[in-house]
């Protein structure tokens, strides 16, 4: 068996997540230092319905690390939504699980922290969540 498939299986088992609980997994990460320096992000998407894996990489000339952490998920959700519009995806909604190592992303996403920055990206994430 492919070692990457085994690693994902072990990760999901350790998180107590069965394959019947999700349609789309998104793993993201972002980096950046100061607003003037810009940043980058990457998202890895696993579509359980179509057995497709996608890796997205993007950058922004002016960004903070928190902005790029969120941008990874906005980009991933945008790609997924475009596939729906193009007819490549059927029978929405998808059960989406997002994984992040960013305390900011996790706690703002669960509304444990107030959202005071990057409100444009949070609005996009909220819009996707309702669909």
């Amino acid at each position: 068996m492919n070692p990457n498939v085994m690693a994902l299986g072990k990760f999901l088992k350790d998180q107590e997540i069965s394959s019947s609980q999700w349609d789309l997994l998104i793993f993201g990460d972002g980096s950046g230092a100061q607003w003037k320096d810009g940043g980058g992000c990457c998202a890895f998407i696993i579509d359980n319905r179509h057995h497709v894996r996608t890796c997205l990489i993007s950058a922004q000339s002016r960004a903070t690390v928190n902005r790029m952490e969120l941008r990874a998920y906005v980009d991933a959700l945008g790609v997924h939504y475009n596939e729906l519009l193009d007819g490549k995806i059927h029978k929405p909604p998808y059960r989406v699980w997002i994984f992040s190592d960013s305390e900011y992303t996790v706690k703002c996403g669960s509304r444990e922290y107030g959202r005071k920055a990057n409100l444009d990206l949070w609005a996009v994430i909220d819009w996707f969540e309702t669909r």
Side-chain angles (χ1 to χ4, degrees):
M1 181 179 257
N2 182 323
N4 294 328
V5 172
M6 290 177 17
L8 176 62
K10 181 179 179 343
F11 172 80
L12 293 174
K13 183 178 179 183
D14 290 348
Q15 300 298 313
E16 298 180 2
I17 301 169
S18 71
S19 63
S20 65
Q21 292 177 285
W22 60 276
D23 298 311
L24 195 71
L25 298 179
I26 303 174
F27 298 87
D29 203 3
S31 66
Q34 299 177 32
W35 180 254
K36 65 181 176 82
D37 295 333
C41 63
C42 180
F44 186 65
I45 309 165
I46 302 170
D47 185 325
N48 197 28
R49 289 187 187 176
H50 296 97
H51 308 287
V52 175
R53 295 171 185 218
T54 307
C55 183
L56 305 173
I57 300 169
S58 60
Q60 192 171 326
S61 60
R62 296 212 183 268
T64 61
V65 65
N66 286 341
R67 184 166 187 82
M68 295 316 294
E69 289 281 352
L70 287 176
R71 172 85 186 270
Y73 301 106
V74 167
D75 289 353
L77 291 167
V79 165
H80 180 69
Y81 189 71
N82 282 333
E83 289 177 348
L84 175 66
L85 293 177
D86 291 343
K88 296 176 185 173
I89 294 174
H90 306 284
K91 298 181 186 173
Y94 264 52
R95 295 165 298 164
V96 179
W97 288 62
I98 291 178
F99 297 91
S100 176
D101 66 351
S102 165
E103 179 180 348
Y104 166 78
T105 299
V106 172
K107 292 194 175 182
C108 284
S110 66
R111 303 206 187 259
E112 189 174 334
Y113 286 176
R115 297 174 178 176
K116 298 177 183 171
N118 304 308
L119 297 178
D120 57 329
L121 297 178
W122 283 115
V124 172
I125 290 171
D126 289 343
W127 184 86
F128 280 119
E129 188 174 28
T130 63
R131 282 150 185 86

